[in-house]
Amino acid sequence: MTQYAAKETEYVVLVRIVASVGGAGSNIKDDAAAYAKYKKYVADMLKPRVDELGWVAAADEPITKPMMRDMALRNYCWAVGDGTNAVVVEAVKKFKAFAADPKGQKSGIRDVFHTVLRTAILYDDADDSNWHAMWELLQNSEWEADQRAYIASLCKSKNELLLRRMIDDSFDENAKSGSWRYIYYLMYYGVDREELAWELLQTNWDKYAESYNDTSFTMGYLVEIPEVFDTPAKKDEVAAFFASKADSIGTGKKTVNETLARIQYNIDWKASNAQDVKDWFNALP
């Protein structure tokens, strides 16, 4: 599947390849060498599309090209891991221009909005200036789609104190979007934040339950959060926690069993496949 990926020009095909490779790569984080090879593999795979598509849409390009552009640029910027890379530098530059003039600059980054936001946080400076600028953009936003994009990107911060404060602030009555979205996005968009998200979910469970235990979809999302774990010890810990909260899970009770089943799947996958995946990536030049 991946042998011809660097030459693939169809969005539907390439996005599935990236997702498949990413699914395998996300399970080998405990092997630093293999994980670094995985990220390089993704960057090398997407570089031809990044060079081909650039940042600006052509007047007559098909409808899938903007989706391909954002997907390729976004994943490339993450995988390359180099703040001095020209593509990364351009993404951060575009964010700063947008933050200074949101109304005037939004149309110019419409097709690469997620790339620009997420890259700006991944490669933030020591003062977290991009994070603070984006937090201000979130507070001033009235569009739910933009709010979701900001929250997902803010969760990528390397500053744990900022992330903890963000979760605390999400319970404010004037917070943008629901408090559940912040913790849910922290798990799925944060960079190695599984343990932090799980800790904060447990710590704040009673607040979430008070707000959402009658809302089927939302409680399900919250109960899904620990499904990424892949050890028997974590499975037992998750099971024990939800058992202790049985009276407040409400409409999320069905999802508990699904979450535990997913953790067991991860355990089984890791036992059967993880070493083969690590060996494959480690064998790459």
Side-chain angles (χ1 to χ4, degrees):
M1 177 182 68
T2 57
Q3 292 179 357
Y4 62 86
K7 299 179 181 179
E8 181 57 58
T9 60
E10 292 296 325
Y11 170 74
V12 173
V13 177
L14 188 56
V15 75
R16 288 178 178 175
I17 293 173
V18 171
S20 296
V21 174
S26 64
N27 287 296
I28 60 170
K29 292 180 180 180
D30 58 337
D31 185 326
Y35 193 64
K37 291 284 188 72
Y38 151 66
K39 293 182 70 173
K40 182 179 184 302
Y41 183 82
V42 172
D44 291 346
M45 178 173 63
L46 294 173
K47 187 62 162 62
R49 300 290 73 77
V50 168
D51 291 341
E52 172 198 358
L53 296 170
W55 291 96
V56 181
D60 58 347
E61 67 182 23
I63 192 171
T64 56
K65 286 296 183 182
M67 294 185 289
M68 173 76 90
R69 178 176 293 106
D70 191 49
M71 184 278 293
L73 284 165
R74 174 166 32 88
N75 285 284
Y76 175 81
C77 286
W78 164 78
V80 74
D82 179 6
T84 66
N85 177 277
V87 181
V88 171
V89 169
E90 182 63 19
V92 175
K93 178 181 176 182
K94 288 181 180 297
F95 171 74
K96 291 184 179 298
F98 167 67
D101 181 19
K103 292 183 179 179
Q105 296 294 320
K106 177 67 179 291
S107 62
I109 61 171
R110 181 184 59 222
D111 293 342
V112 292
F113 192 53
H114 296 283
T115 294
V116 168
L117 296 185
R118 295 183 193 182
T119 304
I121 301 302
L122 284 172
Y123 297 92
D124 209 349
D125 57 31
D127 294 326
D128 302 299
S129 60
N130 293 339
W131 195 95
H132 292 293
M134 195 176 298
W135 180 258
E136 189 66 22
L137 289 168
L138 171 62
Q139 305 317 307
N140 293 326
S141 174
E142 298 300 327
W143 294 94
E144 185 179 350
D146 285 355
Q147 292 169 12
R148 292 198 301 265
Y150 293 140
I151 295 169
S153 300
L154 289 165
C155 286
K156 292 187 174 296
S157 175
K158 298 181 178 67
N159 188 330
E160 183 176 319
L161 292 178
L162 282 179
L163 296 175
R164 289 179 177 276
R165 190 183 77 187
M166 180 183 71
I167 297 301
D168 286 343
D169 290 346
S170 73
F171 294 104
D172 188 280
E173 62 180 8
N174 296 315
K176 297 292 184 176
S177 196
S179 59
W180 73 271
R181 191 181 303 280
Y182 293 79
I183 191 72
Y184 187 78
Y185 280 17
L186 179 59
M187 174 63 89
Y188 289 102
Y189 293 104
V191 181
D192 299 329
R193 294 301 184 184
E194 295 88 352
E195 290 289 351
L196 178 62
W198 174 231
E199 173 203 328
L200 294 175
L201 176 68
Q202 294 176 88
T203 299
N204 295 293
W205 178 262
D206 291 343
K207 295 179 184 178
Y208 292 121
E210 181 179 359
S211 297
Y212 301 118
N213 68 359
D214 292 327
T215 309
S216 58
F217 290 113
T218 304
M219 282 303 290
Y221 291 145
L222 292 169
V223 174
E224 281 178 9
I225 283 176
E227 71 176 10
V228 299
F229 292 128
D230 59 7
T231 66
K234 272 299 180 191
K235 182 183 177 184
D236 291 344
E237 180 183 322
V238 171
F241 174 76
F242 286 132
S244 73
K245 299 297 182 179
D247 292 340
S248 60
I249 291 177
T251 54
K253 288 181 179 178
K254 178 182 177 182
T255 312
V256 172
N257 290 333
E258 295 171 354
T259 294
L260 295 174
R262 180 64 192 186
I263 296 174
Q264 186 59 52
Y265 171 84
N266 296 338
I267 293 169
D268 295 341
W269 187 96
K270 185 177 180 180
S272 299
N273 302 298
Q275 192 57 53
D276 289 340
V277 174
K278 292 175 184 178
D279 291 345
W280 191 88
F281 280 113
N282 278 321
L284 294 175

